[in-house]
């Protein structure tokens, strides 16, 4: 039993390093922007959104919203968004479908449109500032 547990930990460590190596600086910055923005609006911490074991409803909704924003507003593929959140692409697809269903509410739709605008502005401005700093 002890060896099975150590193998499981080893596999998790390998998976974690694979996810780390596939992310570009741009992907990390986009993830940080989306998670921090959603965390601030939803009243949770970024760590809670990125925590894999947290299944509390308000945290799960914040995580789904952050995945939606990363996929839809920032234009990442389902696969890339899944890599950013260390989730499967089907989980991201489910999150996006859930948020899309919630957009039937006009108030929610208006708030989400504003959130998309703010995130796109922040991402464009952040990338612009990084390019200037590199020159």
């Amino acid at each position: 039993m002890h060896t099975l547990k150590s193998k499981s930990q080893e596999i998790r460590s390998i998976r974690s390093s694979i996810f780390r190596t596939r992310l570009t600086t741009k992907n990390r910055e986009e993830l940080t922007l989306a998670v921090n923005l959603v965390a601030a609006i939803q009243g949770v911490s970024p760590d809670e959104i990125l925590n894999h074991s947290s299944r509390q409803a308000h945290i799960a909704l914040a995580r789904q919203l952050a995945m939606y924003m990363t996929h839809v507003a920032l234009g990442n593929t389902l696969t890339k968004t899944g890599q950013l959140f260390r989730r499967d692409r089907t989980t991201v697809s489910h999150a996006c479908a859930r948020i899309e269903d919630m957009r039937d509410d006009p108030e929610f739709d208006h708030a989400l449109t504003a959130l998309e605008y703010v995130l796109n502005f922040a991402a464009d401005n952040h990338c612009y500032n990084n390019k200037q700093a590199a020159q």
Side-chain angles (χ1 to χ4, degrees):
M1 185 71 171
H2 182 0
T3 37
L4 183 58
K5 191 173 187 177
S6 63
K7 284 288 184 191
S8 176
Q9 290 171 339
E10 183 181 331
I11 290 170
R12 269 189 250 129
S13 175
I14 291 169
R15 262 194 229 150
S16 179
S17 66
I18 289 170
F19 281 120
R20 278 194 299 267
T21 57
R22 290 184 183 171
L23 300 181
T24 65
T25 301
K26 181 183 180 226
N27 291 141
R28 287 181 200 280
E29 290 171 356
E30 287 179 346
L31 175 66
T32 301
L33 285 170
V35 168
N36 287 341
L37 183 62
V38 170
I41 288 172
Q42 294 289 8
V44 299
S45 75
D47 290 337
E48 287 175 314
I49 290 176
L50 295 173
N51 185 351
H52 299 290
S53 61
S54 180
R55 293 189 176 142
Q56 294 177 21
H58 69 286
I59 295 171
L61 178 61
R63 184 181 307 114
Q64 289 172 333
L65 186 55
M67 284 190 242
Y68 178 87
M69 298 305 290
T70 304
H71 172 61
V72 175
L74 297 175
N76 286 298
T77 64
L78 292 172
T79 302
K80 180 53 78 178
T81 302
Q83 288 174 344
L84 292 170
F85 284 89
R86 296 183 179 162
R87 298 280 200 276
D88 188 77
R89 65 179 174 76
T90 58
T91 304
V92 177
S93 177
H94 172 76
C96 291
R98 182 162 185 236
I99 299 299
E100 280 294 331
D101 287 345
M102 293 173 71
R103 288 193 92 151
D104 291 341
D105 176 6
E107 286 182 32
F108 182 81
D109 183 55
H110 180 70
L112 198 55
T113 300
L115 188 62
E116 289 172 347
Y117 177 80
V118 169
L119 181 58
N120 280 318
F121 179 82
D124 290 345
N125 191 40
H126 188 71
C127 291
Y128 176 75
N129 286 340
N130 284 346
K131 285 179 187 174
Q132 279 190 333
Q135 292 175 352

